[in-house]
Amino acid sequence: MENLIALLVAAPLLGAAVLLCGGRRLDAVGHWIGTLMSTASFVFGVILFADLLGKNAEHRTLIQHLWTWIPVESFQADVTFRLDQLSMTFVLLITGVGSLIHLYSVGYMEHDERRRRFFGYLNLFLAAMLLLVLADNYLLLYVGWEGVGLASYLLIGFWQHKPSAATAAKKAFLVNRVGDMGLSIAIMLMFATFGTFAFGPVLGHATDASEGKLTAIALMLLLAACGKSAQVPLQSWLGDAMEGPTPVSALIHAATMVTAGVYLIVRSGAIFNAAPDAQLVVTVVGAVTLLFGAIVGCAKDDIKKALAGSTMSQIGYMVLAAGLGPIGYVFAIMHLVTHGFFKAGLFLGAGSVMHGMNDEVDMRKYGGLRKYMPVTFITFGLGYLAIIGFPGLSGFFSKDKIIEAAFAKGGTEGWILGACALVGAAITAFYMTRVMLMTFFGEERWKNQPTRSPEAPSAEPAAEHQGEHAEPHPHESPKVMTIPMIVLAFGSVFAGFFFNLGDRFLHWLEPVTGHSEGDSPLSAATVTGATMVCLVIGVGIAYAMYGRRPVPSVAPRGSLLTRAARRDLLQDDFNHVVLVRGGEHLTRSLVYVDHTLVDGVVNGTAASVGGLSGRMRKLQNGFARSYAVSMFGGAAVLVAATLLMRAV
């Protein structure tokens, strides 16, 4: 079975190569080739999953060595894959949800003339992410890490004819380069400390290194995770990434890019466990981000950007859980998987709404869509209930476990983290209820109000788009789009219950991640009750503001916090003032120093040598009379000196 591991990566990689190099002759079937390659990888994953289930827990690690990549004395890098319970979980999520998004894209991108290339990029995205989670060493993981960054750049900027899309792609690429520097430095520190960067020796001997070195490595890994998973302070790219086609948003937020940071922290658990200071920083980053993203999501009228803030917040929950160590590793991954179902469903539902609304994204121009788009309404509604933690649905089981784990940390730290998680749950219920009410309930605000198409997929809009400024005619999406949404809705409803039944997910991951119950001052029932109170408060406030009152077509000015949240809590303003302008001032200072000091020394030295040479060259002019005068003058000086010495 080990030989099948490489096929997980090879299938989508082959699809990407064929679609990107095959030319226009494949335009008619390229989307089906991409979907087939993604589905083939999922089938291989299911076969390998069945094989792992048939083994004892201690034998559920499969290793496939392909070749030695870099053999340079002690610097040995192998192309080797590791398939264990953790990587298997990600394989099924990436290929399963990824294949559904491929199928959805067949309908969503139907009228885009560059659809073949789009599916090639999707396949490349899956291949890079699979390489990342299957790598058996950090250097090979880094290759997949960079591949994910490249694919996200290509997909976010896919409609590069839009300046906003091109800018968003560059922003995502550059912000992630900052995080990638953290991963590269961490790998260098690993090699300097352990003499290798393979998972086995590094994680197996982590406790042999000093706490200072491990803290440095862990903090660099956290920096990398902040970049890929859009955590504070490297979160600014995620909202702008919504400029890409909606299936890209679903893929980035549910199955690939933003989950990479959580995987990196959990996979490197042995390092973080031995570096408690770094673990504390991880929990702080997670707690701050879950509140940051939730507040941003409350103020967005763009349906995709509201969901982007939601993703930032939910990944913050996962990072918080990962920072709790063995108490939270399993629950971080459980929430990651359940989030993959309901967040993919929410994004695809948003795309379905846009499909029927001339690609309009402003929720203030929606309203009353539930009767025009019943399938989208039901599937989106189930995803909504799951993400707010409605009892019995997936989010209820996974997010509540994280809140319980936060309190189980114990001490003042546990109370603070638990309180942050509860407040985040209340805000989540508020902004997601706001999205539901503004989109599917209330008056039909789109009537007699032409819309514009900020996300027109091509120069020639789809047949149902009656022009860029025509009044929309809401309608249900075709089956090729609604079927993936229905499948994801089932996952949103039942996945959490299945994982929690008999602690199946805990027992599945525990051999890899370990698990500790912690010491919670609150019972599970108390935490659940507090979470339900927060849910009711959030839903109630949202209903009072958006369910019982008309939604104005133009957003009111709002409070200072609301205005700041609309500007992503001034993250771009901060980056511009501190980093951009700071960088400009630093550059000008360096140029001044270069011109005045460095160039002054160099040019001054050159001028001195030149001046001295110019004067000395007069002594060597080639005229015999000058030399005779010099000799006479020298002789006269010698005679005078001799006479003077004798006289004395």
Side-chain angles (χ1 to χ4, degrees), residues 434-465:
R434 174 179 180 267
V435 170
M436 279 295 296
L437 294 174
M438 292 179 71
T439 302
F440 296 103
F441 294 88
E443 60 180 333
E444 298 171 351
R445 298 181 297 278
W446 42 269
K447 287 187 174 180
N448 302 317
Q449 188 177 71
T451 60
R452 59 184 178 85
S453 299
E455 193 180 305
S458 68
E460 297 180 3
E464 64 269 24
H465 298 161

Side-chain angles (χ1 to χ4, degrees), residues 17 67-68 71 196 204-205 236 240 321 339 375 381 387 391 409 437 584 637:
W67 66 83
T68 298
T196 181
H205 297 88
S236 62
D240 292 337
H339 177 265
V375 177
I387 195 173
K409 182 68 175 177
L437 294 174
E584 289 175 351
V637 170

Side-chain angles (χ1 to χ4, degrees), residues 519-596:
D519 185 20
S520 177
L522 302 177
S523 66
T526 302
V527 173
T528 299
T531 306
M532 290 302 99
V533 170
C534 291
L535 184 152
V536 171
I537 292 174
V539 171
I541 294 175
Y543 179 74
M545 293 179 64
Y546 298 95
R548 302 186 62 180
R549 304 175 187 172
V551 177
S553 58
V554 178
R557 180 173 174 81
S559 65
L560 180 63
L561 178 60
T562 299
R563 297 197 299 273
R566 287 176 185 148
R567 296 172 60 88
D568 299 328
L569 292 181
L570 309 180
Q571 55 183 319
D572 284 333
D573 302 81
F574 175 84
N575 290 342
H576 185 75
V577 171
V578 176
L579 301 180
V580 177
R581 288 190 177 177
E584 289 175 351
H585 291 310
L586 177 62
T587 301
R588 292 193 187 103
S589 300
L590 293 175
V591 169
Y592 176 78
V593 170
D594 181 60
H595 285 172
T596 56

Side-chain angles (χ1 to χ4, degrees), residues 288-374:
V288 170
T289 307
L290 76 87
L291 295 175
F292 188 105
I295 293 171
V296 168
C298 291
K300 294 296 184 180
D301 293 331
D302 183 320
I303 187 171
K304 289 174 65 178
K305 290 190 176 182
L307 294 178
S310 168
T311 297
M312 192 188 305
S313 178
Q314 297 304 307
I315 298 294
Y317 273 103
M318 301 171 206
V319 171
L320 168 61
L324 298 173
I327 301 174
Y329 287 143
V330 172
F331 305 129
I333 302 302
M334 181 191 292
H335 193 53
L336 186 149
V337 176
T338 59
H339 177 265
F341 285 112
F342 55 71
K343 184 51 62 69
L346 289 169
F347 266 109
L348 297 189
S352 180
V353 170
M354 294 160 58
H355 183 270
M357 291 291 292
N358 288 9
D359 290 303
E360 179 60 65
V361 296
D362 188 350
M363 293 185 293
R364 294 186 181 275
K365 297 178 181 178
Y366 291 167
L369 294 179
R370 66 186 187 279
K371 64 182 179 181
Y372 299 96
M373 312 177 73

Side-chain angles (χ1 to χ4, degrees), residues 618-633:
K618 295 178 180 180
L619 302 177
Q620 300 290 335
N621 55 18
F623 294 113
R625 60 181 180 270
S626 298
Y627 298 155
V629 171
S630 299
M631 294 171 63
F632 177 78

